Amino acid sequence: MDTVKYILSEDKMPTAWYNIQADLPTSMPPVLNPGTGKQITAADLEPLFPKQLIEQEISQQPTFEIPDEVQSIYRQWRPTPLYRARRLEKALDTPAKIYYKYEGVSPAGSHKPNTAIPQAYYNKKAGVKRLTTETGVGQWGSSLSLAGAFFGLEIVVYMVKVSYRQKPYRRALMEAYGARVVASPSDETEAGRSILKEHPDSNGSLGIAISEAVEMAVQDEQTKYALGSVLNHVLLHQTVIGLEALAQLEMAGDYPDIIVGCTGGGSNFAGIAFPFLGAMLRGERDRRKFVAVEPAACPTLTKGKYTYDFGDTAHLTPLVKMHTLGSSFVPQGIHAGGLRYHGMSPLLSHIVNLGLIETKAYGQIDCFAAGLNFASTEGILPAPEANHAVKGAIDEALRCKEEGVSKTILFNLCGIAFGSTSSFKKMLDANSLFGS
Ligand SMILES: *Cc1c(COP(=O)(O)O)cnc(C)c1O
Protein backbone atom coordinates (compact mmCIF):
# COMPACT_ATOMS: atom_id res chain seq x y z
CA MET A 1 0.00 0.00 0.00
CA ASP A 2 1.22 3.51 -0.83
CA THR A 3 0.96 5.33 2.48
CA VAL A 4 -0.13 8.97 2.11
CA LYS A 5 0.04 10.27 5.67
CA TYR A 6 2.13 9.36 8.67
CA ILE A 7 0.29 9.89 11.94
CA LEU A 8 2.00 9.87 15.32
CA SER A 9 -0.23 8.94 18.23
CA GLU A 10 -0.63 11.53 21.00
CA ASP A 11 1.58 9.56 23.36
CA LYS A 12 4.45 9.86 20.84
CA MET A 13 4.32 13.67 20.80
CA PRO A 14 7.70 15.15 21.81
CA THR A 15 7.87 16.13 25.48
CA ALA A 16 10.83 18.54 25.16
CA TRP A 17 11.80 21.31 22.74
CA TYR A 18 15.25 21.27 21.12
CA ASN A 19 17.68 24.17 21.63
CA ILE A 20 20.12 24.32 18.71
CA GLN A 21 22.33 26.81 20.60
CA ALA A 22 23.77 23.78 22.43
CA ASP A 23 25.16 22.30 19.19
CA LEU A 24 26.45 25.35 17.31
CA PRO A 25 30.20 25.56 16.59
CA THR A 26 30.28 29.22 17.71
CA SER A 27 27.78 31.05 19.86
CA MET A 28 25.63 33.95 18.73
CA PRO A 29 26.88 37.55 18.76
CA PRO A 30 25.71 39.41 21.91
CA VAL A 31 22.52 41.49 22.04
CA LEU A 32 23.37 45.13 22.81
CA ASN A 33 21.75 47.86 24.86
CA PRO A 34 21.54 50.79 22.41
CA GLY A 35 22.00 53.31 25.23
CA THR A 36 25.25 51.89 26.62
CA GLY A 37 26.54 49.76 23.74
CA LYS A 38 27.03 46.96 26.30
CA GLN A 39 25.63 43.45 26.21
CA ILE A 40 22.11 43.37 27.63
CA THR A 41 21.35 41.40 30.76
CA ALA A 42 18.38 39.24 31.66
CA ALA A 43 17.21 42.08 33.93
CA ASP A 44 17.02 44.44 30.93
CA LEU A 45 14.43 42.12 29.37
CA GLU A 46 12.24 41.75 32.45
CA PRO A 47 9.86 44.65 31.67
CA LEU A 48 8.97 42.79 28.46
CA PHE A 49 9.07 39.05 29.18
CA PRO A 50 8.58 36.67 32.13
CA LYS A 51 11.71 35.07 33.62
CA GLN A 52 11.19 31.59 32.19
CA LEU A 53 11.02 32.89 28.62
CA ILE A 54 14.15 34.99 29.21
CA GLU A 55 15.86 31.84 30.47
CA GLN A 56 14.88 30.03 27.25
CA GLU A 57 16.08 33.02 25.25
CA ILE A 58 19.65 32.97 26.56
CA SER A 59 20.24 29.37 27.65
CA GLN A 60 22.61 26.93 25.95
CA GLN A 61 20.99 23.87 27.52
CA PRO A 62 20.10 21.34 24.81
CA THR A 63 16.44 20.75 25.65
CA PHE A 64 13.56 22.30 27.59
CA GLU A 65 10.73 20.17 28.88
CA ILE A 66 7.32 21.11 27.49
CA PRO A 67 5.10 21.84 30.53
CA ASP A 68 2.20 19.38 30.99
CA GLU A 69 -0.45 22.10 30.57
CA VAL A 70 1.13 23.11 27.26
CA GLN A 71 1.33 19.50 26.11
CA SER A 72 -2.32 18.93 26.86
CA ILE A 73 -3.31 21.96 24.73
CA TYR A 74 -0.87 20.94 21.97
CA ARG A 75 -2.73 17.63 21.80
CA GLN A 76 -5.78 19.51 20.48
CA TRP A 77 -4.04 19.48 17.04
CA ARG A 78 -0.66 17.81 17.60
CA PRO A 79 1.04 15.68 16.50
CA THR A 80 0.28 17.17 13.08
CA PRO A 81 0.29 14.87 10.05
CA LEU A 82 3.24 14.31 7.75
CA TYR A 83 2.10 13.76 4.18
CA ARG A 84 3.79 12.18 1.19
CA ALA A 85 2.84 14.39 -1.78
CA ARG A 86 2.26 11.49 -4.16
CA ARG A 87 -0.04 13.30 -6.61
CA LEU A 88 2.26 16.33 -6.74
CA GLU A 89 5.24 14.04 -7.40
CA LYS A 90 3.31 12.43 -10.25
CA ALA A 91 2.23 15.78 -11.72
CA LEU A 92 5.85 16.97 -11.67
CA ASP A 93 7.01 13.61 -13.06
CA THR A 94 9.92 13.73 -10.64
CA PRO A 95 11.95 10.85 -9.24
CA ALA A 96 12.15 12.82 -5.95
CA LYS A 97 10.06 11.92 -2.92
CA ILE A 98 8.28 14.95 -1.48
CA TYR A 99 7.04 15.04 2.11
CA TYR A 100 5.30 17.93 3.82
CA LYS A 101 4.57 18.60 7.45
CA TYR A 102 1.12 20.12 7.70
CA GLU A 103 0.76 22.82 10.36
CA GLY A 104 -2.53 24.12 8.93
CA VAL A 105 -4.53 21.83 11.25
CA SER A 106 -4.15 24.11 14.31
CA PRO A 107 -7.20 26.18 15.34
CA ALA A 108 -5.56 29.33 13.92
CA GLY A 109 -4.55 27.54 10.71
CA SER A 110 -0.78 27.87 11.12
CA HIS A 111 2.28 26.93 13.17
CA LYS A 112 1.97 30.07 15.35
CA PRO A 113 -0.05 28.52 18.23
CA ASN A 114 2.99 26.27 18.91
CA THR A 115 4.62 29.31 20.55
CA ALA A 116 1.52 31.34 21.50
CA ILE A 117 0.41 28.62 23.94
CA PRO A 118 3.69 28.35 25.92
CA GLN A 119 4.17 32.14 25.87
CA ALA A 120 0.72 32.67 27.38
CA TYR A 121 1.37 29.83 29.86
CA TYR A 122 4.64 31.29 31.21
CA ASN A 123 3.15 34.80 31.41
CA LYS A 124 0.11 33.54 33.28
CA LYS A 125 2.34 31.67 35.73
CA ALA A 126 4.31 34.88 36.32
CA GLY A 127 1.10 36.73 37.28
CA VAL A 128 0.85 38.83 34.12
CA LYS A 129 -2.66 40.14 33.34
CA ARG A 130 -2.33 41.51 29.80
CA LEU A 131 -0.21 40.83 26.71
CA THR A 132 0.37 43.28 23.88
CA THR A 133 1.55 42.21 20.46
CA GLU A 134 1.68 43.15 16.79
CA THR A 135 0.29 41.26 13.86
CA GLY A 136 0.64 41.50 10.09
CA VAL A 137 -2.12 39.60 8.32
CA GLY A 138 -3.45 38.34 11.64
CA GLN A 139 -1.99 34.83 11.92
CA TRP A 140 0.03 35.67 15.00
CA GLY A 141 -2.65 37.93 16.47
CA SER A 142 -5.25 35.19 16.22
CA SER A 143 -2.86 32.59 17.67
CA LEU A 144 -2.07 34.74 20.69
CA SER A 145 -5.76 35.61 21.07
CA LEU A 146 -6.54 31.90 21.14
CA ALA A 147 -3.87 31.37 23.80
CA GLY A 148 -5.21 34.34 25.78
CA ALA A 149 -8.68 32.77 25.77
CA PHE A 150 -7.28 29.45 27.08
CA PHE A 151 -5.29 31.06 29.90
CA GLY A 152 -7.57 33.99 30.80
CA LEU A 153 -5.17 36.73 29.66
CA GLU A 154 -6.26 40.04 28.15
CA ILE A 155 -4.79 40.42 24.64
CA VAL A 156 -4.25 43.71 22.76
CA VAL A 157 -3.19 43.34 19.14
CA TYR A 158 -1.68 46.18 17.05
CA MET A 159 -2.55 45.12 13.52
CA VAL A 160 -0.73 46.60 10.51
CA LYS A 161 -3.28 49.03 9.04
CA VAL A 162 -3.24 47.74 5.46
CA SER A 163 -4.11 44.24 6.74
CA TYR A 164 -6.66 45.59 9.23
CA ARG A 165 -8.53 46.88 6.18
CA GLN A 166 -7.82 43.94 3.84
CA LYS A 167 -8.41 41.07 6.31
CA PRO A 168 -11.60 41.77 8.30
CA TYR A 169 -12.13 38.00 8.87
CA ARG A 170 -8.86 37.69 10.73
CA ARG A 171 -9.85 40.62 12.91
CA ALA A 172 -13.22 38.95 13.56
CA LEU A 173 -11.44 35.75 14.64
CA MET A 174 -9.24 37.65 17.13
CA GLU A 175 -12.29 39.43 18.52
CA ALA A 176 -14.16 36.13 18.78
CA TYR A 177 -11.36 34.90 21.07
CA GLY A 178 -11.86 38.06 23.17
CA ALA A 179 -8.93 40.21 22.01
CA ARG A 180 -8.92 43.96 21.35
CA VAL A 181 -7.59 44.79 17.86
CA VAL A 182 -6.14 48.23 17.08
CA ALA A 183 -5.18 49.44 13.58
CA SER A 184 -1.49 50.46 13.60
CA PRO A 185 -0.21 53.17 13.45
CA SER A 186 -2.73 54.29 16.07
CA ASP A 187 -3.10 57.39 18.21
CA GLU A 188 -2.84 55.27 21.40
CA THR A 189 0.96 55.45 21.55
CA GLU A 190 3.79 57.97 21.17
CA ALA A 191 5.26 55.83 18.39
CA GLY A 192 1.97 55.69 16.50
CA ARG A 193 1.21 59.38 16.93
CA SER A 194 4.63 60.44 15.66
CA ILE A 195 4.29 58.28 12.52
CA LEU A 196 0.76 59.61 11.87
CA LYS A 197 1.98 63.19 12.22
CA GLU A 198 4.45 62.68 9.39
CA HIS A 199 2.46 60.17 7.32
CA PRO A 200 -1.27 60.50 8.10
CA ASP A 201 -2.02 57.86 5.42
CA SER A 202 0.57 55.35 6.62
CA ASN A 203 -0.30 51.74 5.77
CA GLY A 204 1.71 50.65 8.77
CA SER A 205 4.39 47.97 9.02
CA LEU A 206 5.37 45.24 11.43
CA GLY A 207 8.22 47.46 12.69
CA ILE A 208 5.76 50.23 13.63
CA ALA A 209 3.27 47.83 15.21
CA ILE A 210 6.07 46.30 17.32
CA SER A 211 6.98 49.80 18.57
CA GLU A 212 3.39 50.39 19.66
CA ALA A 213 3.05 47.02 21.40
CA VAL A 214 6.41 47.38 23.20
CA GLU A 215 5.60 50.94 24.30
CA MET A 216 2.32 49.82 25.89
CA ALA A 217 3.97 46.85 27.64
CA VAL A 218 6.83 48.76 29.28
CA GLN A 219 4.43 51.35 30.73
CA ASP A 220 2.52 48.91 32.89
CA GLU A 221 3.75 46.38 35.48
CA GLN A 222 1.00 43.87 34.74
CA THR A 223 1.39 44.05 30.98
CA LYS A 224 4.03 42.22 29.01
CA TYR A 225 4.83 41.81 25.36
CA ALA A 226 4.75 38.73 23.12
CA LEU A 227 6.49 38.28 19.79
CA GLY A 228 5.39 35.66 17.28
CA SER A 229 8.73 35.03 15.60
CA VAL A 230 12.39 36.14 15.47
CA LEU A 231 13.38 35.48 19.11
CA ASN A 232 15.28 32.40 20.28
CA HIS A 233 12.52 31.17 22.57
CA VAL A 234 10.01 31.32 19.71
CA LEU A 235 12.27 29.23 17.47
CA LEU A 236 12.75 26.83 20.39
CA HIS A 237 8.99 26.25 20.75
CA GLN A 238 8.61 25.62 17.03
CA THR A 239 11.10 22.73 17.07
CA VAL A 240 8.19 20.48 18.04
CA ILE A 241 7.45 20.48 14.28
CA GLY A 242 10.81 19.03 13.21
CA LEU A 243 10.99 16.64 16.17
CA GLU A 244 7.67 15.11 15.12
CA ALA A 245 8.78 15.02 11.47
CA LEU A 246 11.92 13.09 12.49
CA ALA A 247 9.77 10.41 14.13
CA GLN A 248 7.29 10.33 11.24
CA LEU A 249 9.99 9.97 8.59
CA GLU A 250 11.38 7.12 10.63
CA MET A 251 7.93 5.49 10.34
CA ALA A 252 8.22 6.02 6.58
CA GLY A 253 11.73 4.54 6.56
CA ASP A 254 13.11 7.76 5.05
CA TYR A 255 15.40 10.66 5.91
CA PRO A 256 15.37 13.99 4.06
CA ASP A 257 18.26 15.11 1.82
CA ILE A 258 16.73 18.56 1.38
CA ILE A 259 14.70 20.54 3.93
CA VAL A 260 12.76 23.60 2.75
CA GLY A 261 10.81 26.30 4.57
CA CYS A 262 9.68 29.89 4.07
CA THR A 263 11.20 32.65 6.18
CA GLY A 264 9.54 35.79 7.53
CA GLY A 265 11.12 36.04 10.97
CA GLY A 266 12.53 32.52 10.75
CA SER A 267 10.39 30.54 13.18
CA ASN A 268 8.59 27.95 11.04
CA PHE A 269 11.77 27.32 9.05
CA ALA A 270 13.75 26.83 12.27
CA GLY A 271 10.96 24.64 13.60
CA ILE A 272 11.23 22.13 10.81
CA ALA A 273 14.97 22.46 10.13
CA PHE A 274 16.74 22.71 13.50
CA PRO A 275 16.22 19.13 14.71
CA PHE A 276 17.68 17.86 11.39
CA LEU A 277 20.45 20.47 11.44
CA GLY A 278 21.26 19.46 15.02
CA ALA A 279 21.71 15.81 13.96
CA MET A 280 24.15 17.04 11.29
CA LEU A 281 26.04 19.31 13.71
CA ARG A 282 26.40 16.46 16.21
CA GLY A 283 27.87 14.29 13.45
CA GLU A 284 24.99 11.78 13.54
CA ARG A 285 24.15 12.54 9.89
CA ASP A 286 26.05 13.69 6.80
CA ARG A 287 25.68 17.15 5.43
CA ARG A 288 22.13 17.94 4.24
CA LYS A 289 20.80 20.78 2.14
CA PHE A 290 18.63 23.35 3.93
CA VAL A 291 16.82 25.99 1.85
CA ALA A 292 15.23 29.13 3.35
CA VAL A 293 12.83 30.79 0.90
CA GLU A 294 11.75 34.43 1.13
CA PRO A 295 9.81 36.88 -1.08
CA ALA A 296 11.77 38.94 -3.62
CA ALA A 297 9.85 41.99 -2.31
CA CYS A 298 11.39 41.59 1.17
CA PRO A 299 14.75 39.87 0.51
CA THR A 300 16.17 39.96 4.04
CA LEU A 301 18.48 36.93 3.85
CA THR A 302 19.43 37.20 0.16
CA LYS A 303 19.97 40.97 -0.06
CA GLY A 304 20.00 42.31 3.52
CA LYS A 305 23.16 43.21 5.43
CA TYR A 306 24.32 41.07 8.35
CA THR A 307 24.73 43.83 10.93
CA TYR A 308 23.43 45.30 14.19
CA ASP A 309 19.98 46.80 13.83
CA PHE A 310 16.80 47.52 15.78
CA GLY A 311 13.85 45.15 15.67
CA ASP A 312 11.34 48.00 15.33
CA THR A 313 10.86 51.34 13.61
CA ALA A 314 10.86 53.59 16.70
CA HIS A 315 14.07 51.95 18.02
CA LEU A 316 12.64 50.78 21.35
CA THR A 317 14.11 47.25 21.10
CA PRO A 318 17.69 46.19 21.87
CA LEU A 319 20.23 46.05 19.05
CA VAL A 320 20.58 42.59 17.53
CA LYS A 321 22.93 41.28 14.89
CA MET A 322 20.81 39.96 12.03
CA HIS A 323 20.21 40.07 8.31
CA THR A 324 18.28 43.30 7.84
CA LEU A 325 16.95 45.66 5.18
CA GLY A 326 17.04 48.52 7.72
CA SER A 327 14.54 49.24 10.48
CA SER A 328 12.79 51.92 8.40
CA PHE A 329 12.25 49.54 5.45
CA VAL A 330 8.57 49.37 4.45
CA PRO A 331 8.02 46.61 1.90
CA GLN A 332 5.47 46.61 -0.91
CA GLY A 333 2.02 45.38 0.09
CA ILE A 334 2.55 41.82 -1.18
CA HIS A 335 0.07 39.24 0.02
CA ALA A 336 2.47 37.15 2.04
CA GLY A 337 2.08 39.60 4.92
CA GLY A 338 3.86 37.24 7.31
CA LEU A 339 7.06 37.53 5.26
CA ARG A 340 7.22 41.33 5.24
CA TYR A 341 9.48 41.90 8.24
CA HIS A 342 12.64 44.02 7.69
CA GLY A 343 14.83 41.77 9.84
CA MET A 344 15.42 38.08 10.49
CA SER A 345 15.87 35.93 13.54
CA PRO A 346 19.39 36.62 14.91
CA LEU A 347 19.80 32.90 15.61
CA LEU A 348 18.87 31.93 12.05
CA SER A 349 20.99 34.81 10.69
CA HIS A 350 23.98 33.47 12.63
CA ILE A 351 23.41 29.98 11.22
CA VAL A 352 23.11 31.35 7.66
CA ASN A 353 26.33 33.28 8.26
CA LEU A 354 28.02 30.01 9.32
CA GLY A 355 27.22 28.69 5.83
CA LEU A 356 24.88 25.96 7.01
CA ILE A 357 21.80 27.10 5.07
CA GLU A 358 21.10 28.20 1.50
CA THR A 359 18.78 31.12 0.82
CA LYS A 360 16.47 31.91 -2.10
CA ALA A 361 14.06 34.69 -3.04
CA TYR A 362 11.06 34.25 -5.35
CA GLY A 363 8.49 36.69 -6.76
CA GLN A 364 4.95 36.35 -5.47
CA ILE A 365 3.35 35.45 -8.80
CA ASP A 366 5.67 32.42 -9.16
CA CYS A 367 4.80 31.43 -5.60
CA PHE A 368 1.05 31.72 -6.18
CA ALA A 369 1.41 29.56 -9.31
CA ALA A 370 3.22 26.94 -7.21
CA GLY A 371 0.50 27.18 -4.54
CA LEU A 372 -2.22 26.60 -7.15
CA ASN A 373 -0.32 23.62 -8.53
CA PHE A 374 -0.20 22.26 -4.98
CA ALA A 375 -3.90 22.95 -4.37
CA SER A 376 -4.94 21.14 -7.53
CA THR A 377 -2.81 18.06 -6.77
CA GLU A 378 -2.80 17.81 -2.95
CA GLY A 379 -6.09 19.60 -2.31
CA ILE A 380 -4.81 22.07 0.27
CA LEU A 381 -4.69 25.78 -0.57
CA PRO A 382 -1.53 27.02 1.18
CA ALA A 383 -1.24 30.37 2.95
CA PRO A 384 0.51 32.97 0.73
CA GLU A 385 3.61 32.61 2.95
CA ALA A 386 3.62 28.83 2.65
CA ASN A 387 3.48 29.15 -1.16
CA HIS A 388 7.15 30.16 -0.95
CA ALA A 389 8.07 26.83 0.64
CA VAL A 390 5.93 24.98 -1.92
CA LYS A 391 7.74 26.81 -4.73
CA GLY A 392 11.12 26.00 -3.16
CA ALA A 393 10.24 22.31 -2.82
CA ILE A 394 8.88 22.08 -6.39
CA ASP A 395 12.08 23.66 -7.76
CA GLU A 396 14.19 21.09 -5.90
CA ALA A 397 11.98 18.27 -7.24
CA LEU A 398 12.32 19.58 -10.79
CA ARG A 399 16.08 19.77 -10.36
CA CYS A 400 16.04 16.09 -9.34
CA LYS A 401 14.14 15.32 -12.53
CA GLU A 402 16.67 17.23 -14.65
CA GLU A 403 19.60 15.50 -12.98
CA GLY A 404 17.84 12.13 -12.89
CA VAL A 405 18.39 11.63 -9.17
CA SER A 406 15.91 10.57 -6.52
CA LYS A 407 16.25 12.76 -3.44
CA THR A 408 13.98 12.99 -0.44
CA ILE A 409 12.57 16.48 0.06
CA LEU A 410 10.81 17.67 3.22
CA PHE A 411 9.06 21.01 3.45
CA ASN A 412 6.95 22.78 6.01
CA LEU A 413 3.41 23.60 4.93
CA CYS A 414 3.19 26.13 7.72
CA GLY A 415 -0.32 27.42 7.13
CA ILE A 416 -3.53 27.33 5.19
CA ALA A 417 -5.15 30.18 3.25
CA PHE A 418 -8.34 31.43 4.80
CA GLY A 419 -10.03 34.68 5.62
CA SER A 420 -7.99 36.40 2.92
CA THR A 421 -10.32 36.96 0.03
CA SER A 422 -7.97 39.40 -1.69
CA SER A 423 -5.31 36.67 -1.78
CA PHE A 424 -7.66 34.23 -3.48
CA LYS A 425 -8.36 36.81 -6.11
CA LYS A 426 -4.65 37.39 -6.58
CA MET A 427 -4.12 33.66 -6.94
CA LEU A 428 -6.76 33.50 -9.64
CA ASP A 429 -5.06 36.40 -11.43
CA ALA A 430 -1.80 34.49 -11.17
CA ASN A 431 -3.54 31.45 -12.60
CA SER A 432 -4.80 33.35 -15.60
CA LEU A 433 -1.25 34.54 -16.21
CA PHE A 434 0.17 31.03 -16.05
CA GLY A 435 -2.78 28.77 -16.77
CA SER A 436 -3.28 28.78 -20.51
C1 LIG B 1 3.80 34.22 10.45
C2 LIG B 1 3.84 33.27 9.37
C3 LIG B 1 5.03 33.07 8.64
C4 LIG B 1 6.28 33.85 8.84
O1 LIG B 1 6.87 33.73 10.09
P1 LIG B 1 8.09 32.77 10.40
O2 LIG B 1 8.49 33.15 11.77
O3 LIG B 1 9.16 33.01 9.39
O4 LIG B 1 7.57 31.38 10.33
C5 LIG B 1 5.01 32.12 7.64
N1 LIG B 1 3.90 31.41 7.36
C6 LIG B 1 2.76 31.56 8.05
C7 LIG B 1 1.58 30.72 7.68
C8 LIG B 1 2.70 32.49 9.08
O5 LIG B 1 1.56 32.63 9.76
Side-chain angles (χ1 to χ4, degrees):
M1 191 179 76
D2 289 344
T3 304
V4 169
K5 60 187 184 305
Y6 296 87
I7 304 283
L8 276 186
S9 57
E10 287 183 17
D11 62 333
K12 295 277 168 26
M13 191 178 77
T15 56
W17 296 297
Y18 165 61
N19 181 11
I20 198 164
Q21 294 194 65
D23 289 320
L24 289 176
T26 59
S27 49
M28 294 172 65
V31 177
L32 304 179
N33 178 324
T36 63
K38 294 217 175 76
Q39 182 163 3
I40 60 154
T41 61
D44 292 334
L45 294 172
E46 277 172 24
L48 288 179
F49 305 110
K51 283 203 171 85
Q52 277 172 299
L53 289 176
I54 296 171
E55 167 68 17
Q56 293 178 354
E57 188 65 21
I58 58 185
S59 170
Q60 312 271 317
Q61 88 185 44
T63 59
F64 279 91
E65 230 172 88
I66 306 176
D68 285 344
E69 274 182 74
V70 173
Q71 285 192 41
S72 76
I73 293 177
Y74 271 2
R75 284 198 290 273
Q76 178 79 23
W77 67 95
R78 308 209 70 86
T80 64
L82 177 82
Y83 282 90
R84 171 92 184 264
R86 293 189 183 271
R87 284 183 302 277
L88 176 64
E89 288 171 17
K90 206 162 165 204
L92 298 173
D93 188 26
T94 174
K97 295 186 210 170
I98 305 173
Y99 291 91
Y100 58 96
K101 183 73 167 150
Y102 185 38
E103 291 295 306
V105 292
S106 82
S110 78
H111 63 291
K112 296 246 173 47
N114 297 335
T115 186
I117 300 298
Q119 288 194 48
Y121 167 81
Y122 291 119
N123 274 289
K124 182 71 180 182
K125 274 203 24 173
V128 172
K129 296 274 182 289
R130 186 181 306 105
L131 287 175
T132 63
T133 197
E134 70 292 327
T135 200
V137 289
Q139 276 283 4
W140 168 241
S142 43
S143 301
L144 193 69
S145 302
L146 163 81
F150 284 166
F151 288 102
L153 287 165
E154 215 182 290
I155 305 291
V156 184
V157 182
Y158 291 88
M159 184 172 191
V160 176
K161 198 170 273 172
V162 61
S163 302
Y164 184 89
R165 294 198 189 110
Q166 278 178 358
K167 313 270 153 89
Y169 303 116
R170 275 284 165 189
R171 203 196 323 156
L173 181 59
M174 291 184 262
E175 288 170 350
Y177 289 135
R180 190 166 75 86
V181 185
V182 183
S184 167
S186 77
D187 57 11
E188 292 189 359
T189 66
E190 258 327 298
R193 285 190 294 271
S194 79
I195 299 273
L196 286 174
K197 209 166 129 200
E198 268 189 54
H199 307 283
D201 300 326
S202 171
N203 270 336
S205 71
L206 277 175
I208 295 168
I210 293 173
S211 296
E212 293 205 271
V214 167
E215 185 181 321
M216 291 309 270
V218 295
Q219 280 172 7
D220 178 35
E221 279 273 307
Q222 301 197 312
T223 304
K224 293 209 187 290
Y225 167 70
L227 188 59
S229 183
V230 177
L231 298 176
N232 301 343
H233 66 266
V234 179
L235 276 54
L236 173 83
H237 301 153
Q238 293 296 353
T239 59
V240 68
I241 301 171
L243 292 166
E244 284 178 7
L246 262 170
Q248 287 163 311
L249 282 161
E250 201 174 303
M251 290 166 71
D254 254 326
Y255 197 86
D257 302 297
I258 304 167
I259 294 115
V260 182
C262 69
T263 45
S267 74
N268 90 82
F269 176 83
I272 192 124
F274 282 3
F276 294 94
L277 189 55
M280 190 178 105
L281 291 169
R282 293 189 302 274
E284 295 158 19
R285 293 280 175 173
D286 296 343
R287 189 160 181 126
R288 306 284 144 164
K289 181 172 176 177
F290 296 87
V291 188
V293 185
E294 62 186 10
C298 192
T300 319
L301 283 170
T302 50
K303 296 249 174 73
K305 262 206 249 168
Y306 184 48
T307 186
Y308 275 98
D309 195 8
F310 292 95
D312 72 319
T313 308
H315 297 178
L316 301 177
T317 68
L319 278 168
V320 292
K321 192 164 184 187
M322 62 180 174
H323 288 84
T324 175
L325 296 162
S327 59
S328 59
F329 179 80
V330 178
Q332 292 167 267
I334 55 163
H335 287 271
L339 307 183
R340 280 197 306 233
Y341 183 53
H342 72 270
M344 182 53 63
S345 144
L347 178 55
L348 185 59
S349 290
H350 176 58
I351 291 171
V352 167
N353 193 52
L354 290 172
L356 295 166
I357 285 168
E358 294 178 25
T359 59
K360 269 200 181 143
Y362 291 114
Q364 79 167 344
I365 297 294
D366 287 349
C367 293
F368 275 123
L372 287 171
N373 192 354
F374 189 81
S376 60
T377 51
E378 295 296 309
I380 300 168
L381 186 61
E385 294 84 0
N387 284 341
H388 292 72
V390 174
K391 168 74 177 153
I394 288 178
D395 271 16
E396 292 296 334
L398 292 176
R399 188 201 316 274
C400 287
K401 177 176 169 179
E402 235 169 69
E403 295 171 358
V405 292
S406 170
K407 295 251 168 88
T408 299
I409 299 165
L410 168 67
F411 78 91
N412 196 16
L413 187 59
C414 52
I416 189 171
F418 78 99
S420 58
T421 44
S422 56
S423 299
F424 288 126
K425 187 171 174 309
K426 192 81 192 175
M427 290 173 104
L428 293 175
D429 293 346
N431 197 25
S432 65
L433 277 176
F434 277 77
S436 46

